[in-house]
Amino acid sequence: MKVGIDMGRTTAGTPATIDLEELLATRLLVQGNSGSGKSHLLRRLIEQSAAWVQQAVIDPEGDFVTLAERFGHVVVEADEHTEPALQSIAARVRQHRVSVVLNLEGLDTEMQMRATAAFLGGLFDADRDFWYPMLVVVDEAQLFAPSAAGEVSDEARKVSLGAMTNLMCRGRKRGLAGVIATQRLAKLAKNVAAEASNFLMGRTFLDIDMARAADLLGMERRQAEMFRDLERGHFIALGPAMSRRPLPVRIGEVETQGRAGSPKLMPLPATPVEDARDLIFTATEPEPPRYPVRRPSASASADLMARLAAGRAAPPPPAAVDEDAPPAPPPEPEETPEQAAEREARYEAVLREVLADPEAPYRSLAVLYQDFLVRCRGHGVEGDRLALPAFRRRLTAARAGAGMTGDPAWERATAAAAALEEDIQPVFLLLARAALDHAPCPSDPEVARACGSRSPGRARRLLTYMEQRGHIVTRNGLGNTRSIALPALGWETALGDPNAEAPADGPAGPARAGDLPGGA
């Protein structure tokens, strides 16, 4: 399902949009000197996509915490939690699909790098069942992925750079889409910047940064001078999610504002010199604390993790009862059997829409589930009632057993598959369907597609793994044919060519089932 994020207008006056699904697959790099409107651009992207995808914002200056009031982001105060606690919080963020802002404002540079590494590590190492699509926005990325050693320790730089590299290089398969912003391309590690396929380049003055920006956009060096002339909030866009050619874009307005904002001139107070001396050199009561006051990390961690487990920010304390206030609305009635049946029918219709996409067999389960939820929203049905494990089982059965609803033999096959590892269930059901229909044995490309791959070699390794564990028995026939028996059911497929091409509309199992159990 294509979702266009409105970022503003082009110089021609047409809407400037970003394809959100393409952005999740290809990542984004934003570059601009201080005052170019870089943070404004990030805020516009976050606000416009908040309703469509989960978000995590790495915020070194505490500028994005205002998103919490308008869009419901949970603010994680990094200075109140230990590194292991931040890693656990990040795992819960992915599990419960909560959008968060990691506020690093109360930490020095080295501690910011360590906290960011722990948090990104928790997002990256989440369980496979929770690999939902997620935008990870990192402001001032040159702090966390520096191109050269600085004043921080080598250990802090190493762990931070490793976490950023994992995000940009390996995060896509885990549903993590990095959006990184930097003031200086020359200070950003090249292996991190090179993984982005989309670029938004703003006002830049230093020659080395202009040259790198021109190289990334495929422009000639003599054209790099144009970056000095860009106005605040104007960027040059390029990438598969935006435009195939460099496109000038003016970023639109935002709904929230940062806590600091741009400095404004204002007159000095008219204070006599003697009074000014008294104000400076005379202590007042009480004196402000020299350092930020930090709450105990253990209680803060427990409080925030409980909020994440609830799936939303903690509710405010109950207000005092007002006898003159109108009565509270009655609770929503429970779902009737007829309503439940109608909801199930809508689920089936939405699932058929998801499976109608030719690329569906090769997409990750988390992406398919996100697509399912978005389509459910369009149909006016609560998709969240169908949890991810139930969606996985329904998806597997729908692909392998289309048209088999109510067949006792097929119910027996699905019961036998439920006792196996989740990774091999789709292939088992594919073979069971062929045996039940007395059809030829599925070819290696068909088996590969059932597990979300285009590699026949992966299919052969998976069939070998299943045979070693006694789930199937392979018999070879004449003319390079084979049949596969299922001992648990007492069924066997007809002879078929293992090298035959998979039909365009053939059965296919859940996408990207992952590594084989036991490392097969």
Side-chain angles (χ1 to χ4, degrees), residues 33-156:
N33 289 162
S34 179
S36 63
K38 182 174 71 282
S39 297
H40 180 87
L41 183 153
L42 293 180
R43 189 177 295 273
R44 174 77 179 190
L45 175 61
I46 294 168
E47 292 181 355
Q48 294 295 313
S49 61
W52 297 100
V53 67
Q54 184 186 3
Q55 301 168 341
V57 183
I58 309 300
D59 185 7
E61 299 296 335
D63 195 45
F64 293 93
V65 297
T66 53
L67 294 168
E69 297 179 4
R70 175 66 179 81
F71 295 96
H73 291 61
V74 174
V75 178
V76 182
E77 300 289 352
D79 62 346
E80 297 176 357
H81 306 282
T82 63
E83 291 174 33
L86 287 174
Q87 195 163 9
S88 300
I89 289 169
R92 289 178 177 243
V93 164
R94 297 217 70 184
Q95 177 182 355
H96 299 290
R97 305 182 68 198
V98 179
S99 291
V100 297
V101 176
L102 178 64
N103 183 15
L104 303 168
E105 185 181 15
L107 301 175
D108 60 28
T109 302
E110 182 165 334
M111 292 306 298
Q112 284 187 351
M113 297 173 75
R114 292 180 181 275
T116 299
F119 190 79
L120 291 179
L123 297 179
F124 187 84
D125 295 334
D127 188 87
R128 181 182 295 272
D129 286 343
F130 309 127
W131 287 1
Y132 304 105
M134 185 180 198
L135 273 184
V136 183
V137 180
V138 183
D139 196 13
E140 306 297 349
Q142 75 278 356
L143 298 177
F144 311 109
S147 60
E151 298 179 356
V152 299
S153 66
D154 289 340
E155 180 188 0

Side-chain angles (χ1 to χ4, degrees), residues 39-299:
S39 297
H40 180 87
L41 183 153
L42 293 180
R43 189 177 295 273
R44 174 77 179 190
L45 175 61
I46 294 168
E47 292 181 355
Q48 294 295 313
S49 61
W52 297 100
V53 67
Q54 184 186 3
Q55 301 168 341
V57 183
I58 309 300
D59 185 7
E61 299 296 335
D63 195 45
F64 293 93
V65 297
T66 53
L67 294 168
E69 297 179 4
R70 175 66 179 81
F71 295 96
H73 291 61
V74 174
V75 178
V76 182
E77 300 289 352
D79 62 346
E80 297 176 357
H81 306 282
T82 63
E83 291 174 33
L86 287 174
Q87 195 163 9
S88 300
I89 289 169
R92 289 178 177 243
V93 164
R94 297 217 70 184
Q95 177 182 355
H96 299 290
R97 305 182 68 198
V98 179
S99 291
V100 297
V101 176
L102 178 64
N103 183 15
L104 303 168
E105 185 181 15
L107 301 175
D108 60 28
T109 302
E110 182 165 334
M111 292 306 298
Q112 284 187 351
M113 297 173 75
R114 292 180 181 275
T116 299
F119 190 79
L120 291 179
L123 297 179
F124 187 84
D125 295 334
D127 188 87
R128 181 182 295 272
D129 286 343
F130 309 127
W131 287 1
Y132 304 105
M134 185 180 198
L135 273 184
V136 183
V137 180
V138 183
D139 196 13
E140 306 297 349
Q142 75 278 356
L143 298 177
F144 311 109
S147 60
E151 298 179 356
V152 299
S153 66
D154 289 340
E155 180 188 0
R157 176 178 177 271
K158 181 179 179 180
V159 296
S160 179
L161 180 57
M164 289 290 291
T165 302
N166 279 339
L167 169 65
M168 297 300 290
C169 299
R170 302 171 56 202
R172 183 183 64 82
K173 293 183 179 180
R174 289 165 170 78
L176 300 176
V179 176
I180 58 175
T182 179
Q183 293 185 17
R184 295 286 316 280
L185 275 174
K187 289 187 175 182
L188 183 65
K190 290 185 178 180
N191 61 330
V192 172
E195 294 300 322
S197 299
N198 301 285
F199 307 97
L200 281 163
M201 298 300 179
R203 185 169 58 202
T204 305
F205 288 99
L206 293 181
D207 292 342
I208 186 173
D209 292 327
M210 290 192 299
R212 283 195 63 183
D215 288 340
L216 288 174
L217 295 181
M219 301 167 62
E220 297 180 5
R221 293 296 180 95
R222 58 184 178 82
Q223 296 178 292
E225 294 288 336
M226 67 176 294
F227 294 113
R228 284 183 176 147
D229 300 327
L230 290 175
E231 298 180 13
R232 176 181 173 87
H234 288 243
F235 290 79
I236 305 298
L238 178 69
M242 299 176 290
S243 173
R244 299 290 178 176
R245 296 289 184 271
L247 178 68
V249 173
R250 178 169 53 84
I251 305 303
E253 298 298 324
V254 295
E255 300 180 38
T256 61
Q257 297 295 330
R259 294 190 299 181
S262 300
K264 303 294 184 183
L265 291 175
M266 58 187 303
L268 295 174
T271 306
V273 174
E274 293 301 323
D275 292 345
R277 291 177 59 86
D278 291 340
L279 290 174
I280 294 174
F281 295 112
T282 303
T284 57
E285 295 293 340
E287 284 288 327
R290 293 184 58 190
Y291 302 103
V293 177
R294 294 176 173 82
R295 290 178 290 175
S297 61
S299 61

Side-chain angles (χ1 to χ4, degrees), residues 294-375:
R294 294 176 173 82
R295 290 178 290 175
S297 61
S299 61
S301 300
D303 176 65
L304 182 57
M305 292 171 78
R307 291 166 60 193
L308 291 173
R312 56 183 181 274
V321 177
D322 186 357
E323 297 181 355
D324 297 331
E332 296 183 2
E334 295 184 1
E335 191 177 44
T336 64
E338 292 78 11
Q339 292 172 331
E342 182 182 359
R343 177 169 53 83
E344 292 295 324
R346 291 190 179 184
Y347 282 167
E348 295 297 332
V350 174
L351 193 56
R352 285 194 295 271
E353 289 184 14
V354 173
L355 293 178
D357 189 337
E359 289 297 312
Y362 308 109
R363 290 179 174 170
S364 68
L365 179 66
V367 171
L368 290 175
Y369 185 53
Q370 180 76 9
D371 188 15
F372 173 80
L373 295 179
V374 172
R375 291 177 186 272

